[in-house]
Amino acid sequence: MIVETKYYKINETIKLESGRELKEVEVAYETYGELNGTKDNAILLLHALTGDAHAAGYHEGDSKPGWWDDMVGSGKAFDTDKYFVICSNMLGGCKGTTGPSSINPDTGREYGLDFPVITIEDVVKVQKKLIDFLGVKKLCVAGGSMGGMQAMEWALSYDEMVSHVIIIASTPKLSAQSIAFNAVGRNAILSDPNWNNGNYYHGEKPDKGLAIARMVGHITYLCEEAMHSKFARRFQDKDSPDFSFDIDFEVESYLAHQGKIFVDRFDANSYLYITKAVDYFDIEAKYGSLEEAFKNTHAKYLIMSFSSDWLFPTAQSKELCNALMKNKKDVSFCEIESPCGHDAFLLEYETQTNIIKSFLKEEVNE
Amino acid sequence: MIVETKYYKINETIKLESGRELKEVEVAYETYGELNGTKDNAILLLHALTGDAHAAGYHEGDSKPGWWDDMVGSGKAFDTDKYFVICSNMLGGCKGTTGPSSINPDTGREYGLDFPVITIEDVVKVQKKLIDFLGVKKLCVAGGSMGGMQAMEWALSYDEMVSHVIIIASTPKLSAQSIAFNAVGRNAILSDPNWNNGNYYHGEKPDKGLAIARMVGHITYLCEEAMHSKFARRFQDKDSPDFSFDIDFEVESYLAHQGKIFVDRFDANSYLYITKAVDYFDIEAKYGSLEEAFKNTHAKYLIMSFSSDWLFPTAQSKELCNALMKNKKDVSFCEIESPCGHDAFLLEYETQTNIIKSFLKEEVNE
């Protein structure tokens, strides 16, 4: 499946949760499958921290498919024979949608820190404009990790449009520990002299700081079990230590590699803005309680967690589940046994496929 | 109890595990209590990553006591009425014992990266010189975290001298995940331009990198539960986000504070050398197996872990325990229920005191 990213320019000012405004927002998005006549067979996929609009298929000339290709396509979990599947890059991102690396129309230069701090509510507000533009009347929203937060936000803000909500490896609010990990990552970027208060787009980039942020992230995406089975204490290309500060262990090499490839594809300022949006997300604080929050929603919910995910552990999914059940909402929950840690939502596609197909079944029969 | 740090200069060259040598090693140490006539009532305390020789009592004019003052003194776990308690700063440290910030006698300048990479075996070898100098014939060794590794190394290398081994919140080898956290910390230091290949002693120090390393460390010393009860998602000095990249949450403020105070008291190069020594420590790799390693030792062992310690979890202590039991060694094990994470070994002194007193009882009656 050869696909290409399209762009939608929103012709109105977006008012943000902070009170600030964004005048010109462009949204990068992709679609797979066809919208039906009643315009109610849409599925909006919501990407995680560093994802993009390219969820599935191949861009012309690429050897690697989109980030959730295992889940999106003919006969797959998100079946493009039946559904009109949409994925857009998030507001604040760096993959085609307006973010800190975009040109500020007021100055003609990159926004940098002039970009307003955004929230998950803002991110979803922009997605809603795209969905309206595409003519969709009713949709299923689905996402893992931060994508799951956006799915929750959709259910809360646009209940009238949302039929199904799929929340994978996510949480209604970060724990103090998760905020701490994000804070370390941001500190690494802010401490890199090349960051230069966010103005680095025409010089050296804060690659070292961004790489360290990514390394911290990757430790939290795996779990000890996954790290052990991947690397144990094996030395990299040698059998014993070389008594230097070069890379000794395979796990060090893995992290260094992840850091290195990340800086080529991601913008450090976007990393700051997006992790901040994630830190701020807190349904309980906004609505008084989780139970109160979901009281007036009408969608069906599918919540999945992974046994070895210690970043957004099962207990956090269960909290959400309990709040929905107390409201007598239609909710399915599954903790999937997996040794892959938080990353499981990108890897354990077979189990997820079965569960999602079963959850969406009623749609199929319509 | 007013105490002061003393210094012992070793009058011989120390041959290191790497094959390299150190010509002039000075050891900073403190002692509490008196050595008895048979010179067998000594307890050597072994400090963790960033500790020092000042385990107990007050330095003249100080308002804070040594790092394990709750455990060391008259009537305490390590009872100075009965025992001659010793603590020394480790080789490679920056608190009086020779390390990368010491003057290299060959050049007249600070060692920096000319300091040889050291191992836990080297650290203990230097401690042994001090113990011999002090005239001690028989001793108990005790330490938490990296201090526990040194206690194991003492049991293995100097069996003839060691009567009791107390290993707290420690592990016979780091997991891949723990190596990963250390690697991130080192990367933060190495990436700081002020680090300058280790030559920063006469200019700006790599404070930003070292602070980030410390922040990562502190996340691993607490646990999610401890972080939640300390900070939850409370904002720092405000009730709502201010939509900036300043500190928002209390947990961010805590980490920033920990980073800030750490750089005033610790040397970045020492942090590199010591974390590397910890990464390299692997009894299994050295002896073929844990069981094989402890086969010919004669000491009594006390092993303690803490229920919420996810850095060196109970399972790792149990592995060590099992190896000792298979060898029919005299071993006591206790997992202490605590919400304090890895830091518990510095905080849960009452329970530890009872257990240690009971373990050392036979000594008391001698």
Side-chain angles (χ1 to χ4, degrees):
Chain A
M1 179 167 68
I2 298 295
V3 298
E4 59 181 37
T5 305
K6 291 165 272 191
Y7 298 88
Y8 166 58
K9 193 160 185 176
I10 301 175
N11 284 321
E12 57 183 301
T13 294
I14 305 287
K15 196 165 160 73
L16 303 168
E17 199 177 346
S18 65
R20 291 181 63 187
E21 294 183 339
L22 268 173
K23 266 190 275 190
E24 293 182 12
V25 174
E26 190 164 53
V27 184
Y29 71 101
E30 296 192 3
T31 63
Y32 323 99
E34 300 295 330
L35 188 61
N36 62 10
T38 45
K39 299 179 189 301
D40 60 1
N41 70 330
I43 298 179
L44 176 64
L45 305 180
L46 305 153
H47 69 70
L49 210 57
T50 66
D52 54 33
H54 183 36
Y58 291 79
H59 285 170
E60 191 75 53
D62 275 5
S63 58
K64 277 189 168 178
W67 58 271
W68 228 5
D69 190 70
D70 288 327
M71 299 278 279
V72 183
S74 173
K76 296 184 183 176
F78 303 110
D79 190 342
T80 48
D81 297 339
K82 294 171 186 160
Y83 300 105
F84 178 56
V85 181
I86 308 153
C87 186
S88 67
N89 184 217
M90 70 182 285
L91 181 67
C94 52
K95 298 293 184 171
T97 293
T98 301
S101 58
S102 303
I103 298 299
N104 179 348
D106 289 344
T107 64
R109 292 191 309 273
E110 292 83 0
Y111 279 101
L113 282 206
D114 289 336
F115 197 77
V117 168
I118 51 160
T119 65
I120 297 294
E121 184 183 300
D122 300 329
V123 169
V124 167
K125 186 181 264 187
V126 167
Q127 288 161 357
K128 172 68 162 57
K129 303 284 178 198
L130 171 70
I131 293 304
D132 287 343
F133 162 73
L134 293 172
V136 171
K137 299 291 178 209
K138 204 97 185 172
L139 79 169
C140 164
V141 291
S145 194
M146 188 188 69
M149 294 177 173
Q150 295 164 55
M152 292 174 223
E153 185 64 37
W154 262 96
L156 295 171
S157 296
Y158 305 106
D159 173 62
E160 69 286 359
M161 287 190 74
V162 180
S163 61
H164 293 70
V165 183
I166 302 176
I167 298 161
I168 311 171
S170 192
T171 179
K173 64 170 192 283
L174 291 198
S175 67
Q177 190 182 63
S178 295
I179 294 174
F181 280 120
N182 281 345
V184 169
R186 282 194 299 270
N187 257 280
I189 293 168
L190 301 175
S191 296
D192 188 324
N194 288 339
W195 179 64
N196 189 30
N197 218 31
N199 301 312
Y200 53 76
Y201 293 107
H202 301 278
E204 292 283 307
K205 294 186 301 162
D207 286 347
K208 288 181 175 177
L210 182 59
I212 289 166
R214 185 61 168 176
M215 292 167 79
V216 174
H218 268 280
I219 298 178
T220 66
Y221 305 152
L222 291 173
C223 60
E224 195 186 24
E225 188 183 352
M227 280 213 170
H228 180 74
S229 65
K230 263 176 182 284
F231 317 113
R233 288 181 51 90
R234 281 189 301 278
F235 288 100
Q236 179 73 21
D237 303 329
K238 58 191 173 190
D239 297 320
S240 57
D242 60 9
F243 299 103
S244 80
F245 293 110
D246 297 336
I247 283 170
D248 268 307
F249 294 95
E250 281 185 11
V251 65
E252 293 181 277
S253 171
Y254 169 81
L255 290 180
H257 175 71
Q258 293 298 338
K260 193 171 169 349
I261 58 175
F262 186 60
V263 300
D264 290 335
R265 75 170 180 87
F266 214 78
D267 174 51
N269 282 337
S270 276
Y271 199 87
L272 297 177
Y273 280 88
I274 295 172
T275 55
K276 205 66 177 168
V278 170
D279 284 4
Y280 281 163
F281 186 71
D282 186 347
I283 295 176
E284 259 175 60
K286 195 166 171 182
Y287 292 86
S289 74
L290 272 185
E291 204 179 327
E292 191 59 34
F294 288 95
K295 193 178 261 179
N296 299 315
T297 67
H298 298 83
K300 298 180 181 200
Y301 295 84
L302 169 62
I303 298 168
M304 287 187 274
S305 68
F306 297 92
S307 57
S308 57
D309 183 354
W310 63 283
L311 185 62
F312 295 163
T314 292
Q316 295 179 353
S317 285
K318 279 190 177 162
E319 253 186 81
L320 179 61
C321 233
N322 289 337
L324 288 163
M325 286 193 298
K326 279 184 189 160
N327 277 311
K328 302 195 194 312
K329 301 300 171 192
D330 186 336
V331 52
S332 306
F333 167 72
C334 181
E335 184 193 47
I336 298 171
E337 278 295 317
S338 166
C340 300
H342 186 63
D343 267 349
F345 80 94
L346 295 167
L347 300 170
E348 301 279 7
Y349 64 90
E350 284 182 19
T351 318
Q352 288 184 86
T353 297
N354 292 336
I355 297 169
I356 290 171
K357 275 180 175 275
S358 155
F359 175 68
L360 293 175
K361 206 166 46 192
E362 291 188 7
E363 292 282 295
V364 178
N365 296 338
E366 266 170 19
Chain B
M1 180 167 66
I2 298 294
V3 298
E4 59 181 37
T5 305
K6 291 164 273 191
Y7 297 88
Y8 166 57
K9 192 161 184 176
I10 301 176
N11 283 319
E12 57 182 300
T13 295
I14 304 287
K15 195 167 162 69
L16 303 168
E17 199 177 346
S18 65
R20 291 182 62 187
E21 295 182 339
L22 270 173
K23 266 190 276 190
E24 292 182 11
V25 174
E26 192 165 51
V27 184
Y29 70 101
E30 296 192 2
T31 63
Y32 323 100
E34 300 296 330
L35 188 61
N36 63 8
T38 44
K39 299 178 189 302
D40 58 2
N41 71 328
I43 297 178
L44 176 64
L45 304 180
L46 305 153
H47 69 69
L49 210 58
T50 67
D52 55 33
H54 183 36
Y58 290 80
H59 284 171
E60 191 74 53
D62 275 5
S63 59
K64 276 191 170 177
W67 59 270
W68 228 5
D69 190 71
D70 287 327
M71 299 278 280
V72 183
S74 174
K76 297 184 183 176
F78 303 109
D79 190 343
T80 49
D81 297 339
K82 293 172 187 157
Y83 299 105
F84 178 56
V85 181
I86 308 154
C87 187
S88 66
N89 184 217
M90 71 182 285
L91 180 68
C94 53
K95 298 292 184 171
T97 293
T98 302
S101 58
S102 304
I103 299 299
N104 180 348
D106 289 342
T107 64
R109 293 191 308 273
E110 292 83 1
Y111 279 101
L113 281 207
D114 288 337
F115 196 77
V117 169
I118 51 159
T119 64
I120 297 295
E121 185 184 299
D122 300 329
V123 168
V124 167
K125 187 182 261 187
V126 166
Q127 288 161 355
K128 173 67 163 56
K129 303 285 179 196
L130 172 69
I131 293 304
D132 287 343
F133 162 74
L134 293 172
V136 171
K137 299 292 180 207
K138 205 93 185 173
L139 79 168
C140 164
V141 291
S145 195
M146 188 188 68
M149 294 178 175
Q150 295 164 56
M152 291 175 224
E153 185 64 37
W154 263 95
L156 295 172
S157 295
Y158 306 106
D159 173 61
E160 70 286 359
M161 288 190 74
V162 180
S163 62
H164 293 70
V165 183
I166 301 175
I167 298 160
I168 311 171
S170 191
T171 178
K173 63 171 195 280
L174 291 198
S175 67
Q177 191 182 61
S178 295
I179 294 174
F181 280 121
N182 281 344
V184 168
R186 282 194 299 270
N187 257 282
I189 294 168
L190 301 175
S191 296
D192 188 324
N194 289 340
W195 179 64
N196 189 31
N197 217 32
N199 301 311
Y200 53 77
Y201 294 107
H202 301 278
E204 291 284 306
K205 294 186 301 161
D207 286 348
K208 288 182 175 176
L210 182 58
I212 289 165
R214 184 60 167 177
M215 291 168 79
V216 174
H218 268 280
I219 299 177
T220 66
Y221 306 152
L222 292 174
C223 60
E224 195 185 25
E225 189 184 350
M227 281 212 169
H228 180 75
S229 66
K230 263 175 183 281
F231 317 112
R233 289 181 51 90
R234 282 190 302 276
F235 287 99
Q236 180 72 22
D237 304 327
K238 57 190 175 191
D239 298 320
S240 57
D242 61 8
F243 298 102
S244 80
F245 293 109
D246 296 337
I247 283 170
D248 269 305
F249 294 95
E250 281 186 12
V251 65
E252 293 181 278
S253 172
Y254 169 81
L255 290 181
H257 175 72
Q258 293 298 337
K260 194 170 170 346
I261 58 174
F262 186 61
V263 301
D264 290 335
R265 74 170 180 87
F266 213 80
D267 174 50
N269 282 337
S270 276
Y271 199 87
L272 297 178
Y273 279 88
I274 295 172
T275 54
K276 205 66 179 169
V278 170
D279 284 2
Y280 281 163
F281 186 70
D282 186 347
I283 295 177
E284 260 175 58
K286 196 167 172 181
Y287 292 86
S289 75
L290 272 186
E291 204 179 329
E292 191 58 34
F294 288 95
K295 193 178 262 179
N296 299 313
T297 67
H298 298 83
K300 297 179 182 203
Y301 295 84
L302 170 62
I303 298 168
M304 287 187 275
S305 68
F306 297 93
S307 57
S308 57
D309 182 354
W310 62 283
L311 186 62
F312 295 164
T314 292
Q316 295 178 354
S317 285
K318 280 192 176 162
E319 252 185 81
L320 178 60
C321 234
N322 289 337
L324 288 163
M325 286 194 296
K326 279 185 191 159
N327 278 312
K328 301 193 193 314
K329 301 299 172 191
D330 186 336
V331 50
S332 306
F333 167 73
C334 181
E335 184 192 45
I336 299 171
E337 276 296 318
S338 166
C340 301
H342 186 64
D343 267 350
F345 80 96
L346 295 167
L347 302 169
E348 299 281 6
Y349 64 90
E350 284 182 19
T351 318
Q352 289 184 87
T353 297
N354 292 335
I355 296 169
I356 290 170
K357 275 181 175 275
S358 156
F359 176 68
L360 292 175
K361 206 167 45 192
E362 289 189 7
E363 293 282 294
V364 177
N365 296 336
E366 269 170 12

